[in-house]
Structures are given as C-alpha cells and as structure tokens.
Amino acid sequence: SSGINAEYGGMEEFGRLMDASHNSLDQDYEVSCKELNEVVGIARRVEGVLGSRMTGGGFGGCAITLVKKGAVEELVRVLGEKCPYSKSFSTTAGAGATSWDEE
C-alpha cells in the first residue's frame, strides 16, 4: 500500500502533524483566536481524535479534525455541548483529484 499509511507513519502521525501545524499557526504566526483554539483543544481531548487544526485564512473561521469513524458522533456531541457558538458536521475523504477527457 502507498500513501499516508505506508510512507509517512500512518494516520496517527498525520494527526500529530495537524496538531503541530495548528500550534505553529497559533504561536508562531499568531493567526488563530481564542474561540478557534478552544474548539481545537476540546476536539483533541475526545477519545478517537487523531489531530485537529485551524484551516482557512486564519483569525477565526474553521477547524478540521481527523477522527476515527467510531468517535465521530461523540466528537460532534461534545463540540455542540461545549462550544454552542460553533457548528459541526462530518464528511469523509474522497478519491482525490482526477482527470478526464472532454470529448
């Protein structure tokens, strides 16, 4: 197998990199905010979450969280309870970019 799982240490390592990236965006670049840090911090404490970080242009906005399938409902529940100012939804990764002939 190739991709994240085989070449780069698996999804756990990907989650650790997401965490490190958020920490850098917050501490080194100072483009996060209190509310977004709270969402990311709460998400990280839910069992089954592998990593969480801000996404987008910074200064508020969105977080993306890598979570095991079995923990999705709990993550959404906890965020809804502890961060009522936020909205949460789940999605899955697709097959990625593809190309096609326009004939």
Side-chain angles (χ1 to χ4, degrees), residues 7-48:
E7 294 177 37
Y8 301 106
M11 298 307 274
E12 289 79 11
E13 178 64 13
F14 186 69
R16 283 190 288 276
L17 292 170
M18 289 176 68
D19 288 343
S21 175
H22 178 82
N23 295 344
S24 176
L25 289 165
D26 178 41
Q27 297 162 12
D28 299 331
Y29 293 96
E30 299 178 347
V31 295
S32 190
C33 66
K34 180 184 121 191
E35 295 83 2
L36 192 50
N37 288 342
E38 183 176 47
V39 168
V40 167
I42 289 168
R44 288 176 176 173
R45 290 190 292 276
V46 172
E47 187 174 337

Side-chain angles (χ1 to χ4, degrees), residues 69 90-94:
K69 285 182 185 180
S90 65
T91 187
T92 58

Side-chain angles (χ1 to χ4, degrees), residues 47-78:
E47 187 174 337
V49 167
L50 302 176
S52 189
R53 60 160 282 165
M54 64 167 285
T55 187
F59 306 105
C62 298
I64 185 168
T65 301
L66 180 63
V67 58
K68 294 179 180 180
K69 285 182 185 180
V72 171
E73 287 183 24
E74 178 67 2
L75 173 63
V76 171
R77 186 194 69 72
V78 168

